[in-house]
């Protein structure tokens, strides 16, 4: 579904991605784990058209998307939930969800997806008229995910959905990620929480200072001494 080959991204003189290659097959949950500053968010931004790579290939459903505008990429079926949620604080929950569908014209489909989002996130339904800036961190994460789903993505890019959330809420968010995948959406999940990420993913990549250092099935990486030491707290 998605094939990234030898991707280089620079910020000025600083090279944030160095020849990154990975692939995501339809129906998978893939996770990319790595420490602060390793380049995880940069990769997602390149995939969703927010950053232009200096070199390399990004093929999505058999077509190159390098250089395409971000909104074309959304329309093609890739939705990005950025780090730190970024909901529109002065708009209500309902208005944020409606914005997620702004590129769509199928009113009946939008209504149906809104119903499904509220079914998946009952907390958002209770708070549909509340200003989003007053939601808790976990509720904002749910809203950011719900808004991305309103674009009816084929591929969902999630940037650190567990960041700053209490352990119980992290579990809820990961359960929802599994449900979204079960319902047919392919997921590329960026996480520092390697333990949780490896528990939902089928395959994983480890990124270190802009390079893919390791890859394999989630089970292989869970068993790897290197991963245990660096990302699983030595467990
Ligand atoms: P984190 O988990 O802390 O968000 P990350 O793995 O997502 O980390 P990136 O945000 O992709 O890391 O950053 C990769 C590298 O690029 C870092 O060294 C960072 O300092 C640098 N970088 C990121 N954004 C910019 C920017 N706008 N200008 C310059 N350098 C940047």
């Amino acid at each position: 579904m998605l094939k990234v080959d030898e991707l280089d991204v620079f910020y000025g003189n600083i090279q944030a991605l160095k020849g990154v290659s990975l692939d995501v097959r339809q129906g998978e949950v893939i996770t990319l784990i790595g420490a602060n500053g390793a380049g995880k968010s940069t990769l997602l931004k390149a995939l969703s058209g927010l950053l232009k790579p200096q070199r390399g290939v990004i093929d999505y459903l058999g077509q190159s998307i390098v250089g395409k505008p971000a909104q074309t990429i959304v329309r093609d079926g890739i939705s990005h939930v950025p780090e730190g949620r970024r909901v529109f604080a002065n708009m209500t929950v309902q208005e944020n969800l409606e914005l997620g569908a702004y590129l769509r014209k199928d009113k009946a489909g939008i209504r149906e997806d809104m119903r499904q989002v509220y079914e998946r996130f009952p907390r958002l339904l209770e708070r549909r008229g509340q200003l989003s800036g007053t939601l808790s961190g976990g509720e904002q994460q749910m809203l950011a995910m719900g808004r991305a789903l309103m674009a009816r993505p084929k591929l969902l890019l999630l940037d650190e959905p567990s960041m700053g959330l209490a352990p119980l809420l992290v579990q809820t968010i990961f359960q929802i990620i599994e449900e979204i995948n079960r319902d047919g959406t392919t997921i590329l999940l960026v996480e520092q929480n390697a333990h949780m990420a490896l528990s939902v993913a089928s395959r994983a990549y480890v990124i270190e200072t802009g390079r893919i250092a390791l890859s394999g099935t989630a089970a292989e990486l869970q068993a790897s001494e290197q991963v245990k030491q660096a990302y699983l707290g030595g467990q």
Side-chain angles (χ1 to χ4, degrees), residues 86-103 110 114 117-118 124-125 127-135 142-144 146-148 150-151:
R86 307 272 177 85
V87 297
F88 296 99
N90 293 320
M91 298 174 104
T92 64
V93 166
Q94 172 88 17
E95 286 165 346
N96 266 275
L97 292 178
E98 284 165 359
L99 269 181
Y102 83 106
L103 291 169
I110 294 171
M114 185 79 76
V117 166
Y118 280 137
L124 297 183
L125 180 61
R127 292 167 186 272
R128 65 197 293 175
Q130 185 171 330
L131 287 183
S132 304
T134 63
L135 296 173
M142 292 178 194
L143 179 56
R147 188 179 59 191
M150 288 303 297

Side-chain angles (χ1 to χ4, degrees), residues 11 14 16 35-43 45 83 159-160 192:
Y11 296 104
I14 300 169
N36 275 320
K40 305 181 298 298
S41 302
T42 300
L43 178 67
K45 286 177 191 162
E83 189 175 1
D159 198 344
E160 296 202 30
Q192 283 193 54

Side-chain angles (χ1 to χ4, degrees), residues 72-87:
T72 307
I73 293 175
V74 174
R75 204 176 272 134
D76 289 348
I78 300 182
S79 280
H80 182 180
V81 181
E83 189 175 1
R85 356 284 191 208
R86 307 272 177 85
V87 297

Side-chain angles (χ1 to χ4, degrees), residues 40-86:
K40 305 181 298 298
S41 302
T42 300
L43 178 67
L44 293 194
K45 286 177 191 162
L47 298 179
S48 60
L50 299 175
L51 282 174
K52 197 169 180 309
Q54 275 71 15
R55 194 175 71 93
V57 174
I58 306 173
D59 280 343
Y60 167 67
L61 298 177
Q63 277 196 352
S64 171
I65 55 168
V66 172
K68 279 196 182 182
Q71 75 173 48
T72 307
I73 293 175
V74 174
R75 204 176 272 134
D76 289 348
I78 300 182
S79 280
H80 182 180
V81 181
E83 189 175 1
R85 356 284 191 208
R86 307 272 177 85

